[in-house]
Amino acid sequence: MLTKVIKINSVIDDTFDAYATLDELVPFTDATQRWDITAIDSLPPYMRHVYQALLDVYSEMEEILAKECKSDCIYYAKYEMKKLVGSFLREAQWLNAGYTPNCEEYMKNALVSAGYMMTATTSLVGVEEFISRNTFEWLMNEPLIVRASSAINRITCDMTGHEVEQQRAHIPSIIECYMKEYGASKEETYIEFQKEIMNAWKDINNALIFRPTEVPMFVLERVLNCARVMDTLYQEGDGYTNSKGNVKNMINLLLVESINV
C-alpha cells in the first residue's frame, strides 16, 4: 500500500513541480480536497489519469481494509494526502509570484511538502497491529518526533538538491531562503542546517527515551525508521531521484542477494 501511495505521490509532485501551470493546479487541488470522482471533469484531460489513479489506489486500500474492519484508517491517510497536495499548491503559488518566503514561513509549509507526514501515517494503515483512532490523531497533530523527522527529510533533500533545482524554474529551497534572510554565505548556511539536522535527531532520540504514553512503541519506531530511510536516501546526493547508483546497490544487497552464513 505504501509503495503505491509513494509512487502516485511522486507523479503528483512532479506534476506540480515541473509540468502543470498554476491555472491547472488550482482545480486539481480542489478536486483532491473534494475526493470525488465527479470532480474529474473539471481537470485538463492529461491530469485526469493521475487523479483517477489517486482515487483508485485509496479505494483499493479501503476495500482490503474493510475486510479486516479497519477501513476507518483510510480517513487519516486521505487527510494527509490532501494536506500534502495543498502544500504543493502553496509552493506553486510562491513560484508563480516570484516570492521568496522567510525561513519560518518556508519550513511551516516544507515540513508538509516533504511528504514525510503523509508517509508516516500511511505506513501504519496496513499494519497487522491495531492502531487506535487516538494514535492517528496524535500523528495528525504533528508531534515533535514527526516534525523532527520531517525536518531531517526536508533539510537534507534541500541541501543535496537545491543547486540542480535552481537551474530551472523552482521555488527557493531553505538554503536560498536562509541566505537571503540572514545575508549568509552558502557555506555558513550549510553549517547552520547541519546543526538543525543534529538537533532534529536529538529530538527524535528524546521522544524515544521519554516516549508518550498515548502511543505504542512500535509506532514511534515506525516514525524513526521512516526518518532513517530518508537519511539513507540522501547520504550521497539525491538517491531518490537518481536511484540507479548506491540506492539500487543497497536494496539489492539487502533484499535480493543472499548471504552465506
Side-chain angles (χ1 to χ4, degrees):
M1 290 180 183
L2 182 60
T3 299
K4 290 183 178 181
V5 170
I6 290 174
K7 291 288 285 184
I8 196 68
N9 171 60
S10 292
V11 176
I12 294 172
D13 187 13
D14 285 352
T15 301
F16 274 77
D17 202 32
Y19 294 101
T21 65
L22 184 61
D23 288 341
E24 294 169 335
L25 295 173
V26 170
F28 184 88
T29 303
D30 290 342
T32 304
Q33 301 307 313
R34 288 175 57 188
W35 208 277
D36 185 343
I37 191 59
T38 62
I40 200 170
D41 295 331
S42 66
L43 304 178
Y46 84 94
M47 299 183 85
R48 296 175 184 178
H49 301 291
V50 66
Y51 185 70
Q52 179 74 64
L54 174 67
L55 268 57
D56 286 349
V57 166
Y58 283 80
S59 294
E60 179 187 10
M61 292 164 58
E62 191 167 13
E63 182 178 337
I64 293 171
L65 292 170
K67 298 175 183 178
E68 304 173 8
C69 299
K70 295 181 179 179
S71 58
D72 57 331
C73 299
I74 291 296
Y75 166 81
Y76 300 99
K78 289 180 180 178
Y79 173 88
E80 291 296 339
M81 178 57 77
K82 291 177 183 180
K83 188 167 72 171
L84 178 60
V85 172
S87 71
F88 290 163
L89 180 63
R90 174 64 61 85
E91 293 180 347
Q93 291 169 332
W94 287 343
L95 176 62
N96 188 67
Y99 175 65
T100 300
N102 61 39
C103 292
E104 181 180 0
E105 185 181 13
Y106 175 85
M107 286 302 294
K108 182 178 180 181
N109 190 72
L111 290 181
V112 180
S113 68
Y116 178 87
M117 294 179 180
M118 181 277 294
T119 302
T121 296
T122 307
S123 73
L124 293 169
V125 166
V127 298
E128 294 181 0
E129 296 89 345
F130 171 75
I131 308 293
S132 69
R133 184 172 300 177
N134 288 341
T135 296
F136 280 114
E137 291 179 355
W138 175 81
L139 286 166
M140 285 174 61
N141 289 327
E142 302 178 6
L144 180 58
I145 187 173
V146 171
R147 296 198 310 274
S149 299
S150 190
I152 291 170
N153 182 12
R154 169 51 65 199
I155 295 171
T156 307
C157 178
D158 279 8
M159 289 179 67
T160 56
H162 75 102
E163 291 182 327
V164 173
E165 290 175 342
Q166 296 306 310
Q167 293 175 8
R168 57 182 172 83
H170 198 279
I171 66 162
S173 72
I174 189 58
I175 305 301
E176 285 75 36
C177 292
Y178 187 89
M179 290 171 65
K180 179 178 180 180
E181 184 172 352
Y182 295 101
S185 67
K186 184 174 70 172
E187 290 72 20
E188 291 170 335
T189 303
Y190 281 1
I191 292 171
E192 177 63 26
F193 283 102
Q194 285 167 351
K195 293 177 183 177
E196 290 293 323
I197 291 172
M198 183 71 69
N199 289 334
W201 280 117
K202 289 178 181 178
D203 287 337
I204 292 173
N205 288 337
N206 285 334
L208 290 165
I209 295 170
F210 307 106
R211 64 188 185 91
T213 56
E214 64 264 33
V215 297
M217 188 63 183
F218 77 84
V219 172
L220 298 177
E221 290 173 344
R222 182 63 61 95
V223 173
L224 166 65
N225 285 338
C226 288
R228 292 169 68 196
V229 169
M230 301 303 180
D231 180 68
T232 301
L233 286 176
Y234 294 105
Q235 283 289 335
E236 299 181 21
D238 186 351
Y240 185 75
T241 301
N242 307 305
S243 58
K244 293 184 178 180
N246 289 335
V247 172
K248 181 177 180 179
N249 291 335
M250 282 191 292
I251 293 172
N252 189 53
L253 289 171
L254 183 64
L255 300 175
V256 179
E257 294 185 4
S258 60
I259 299 175
N260 295 322
V261 179

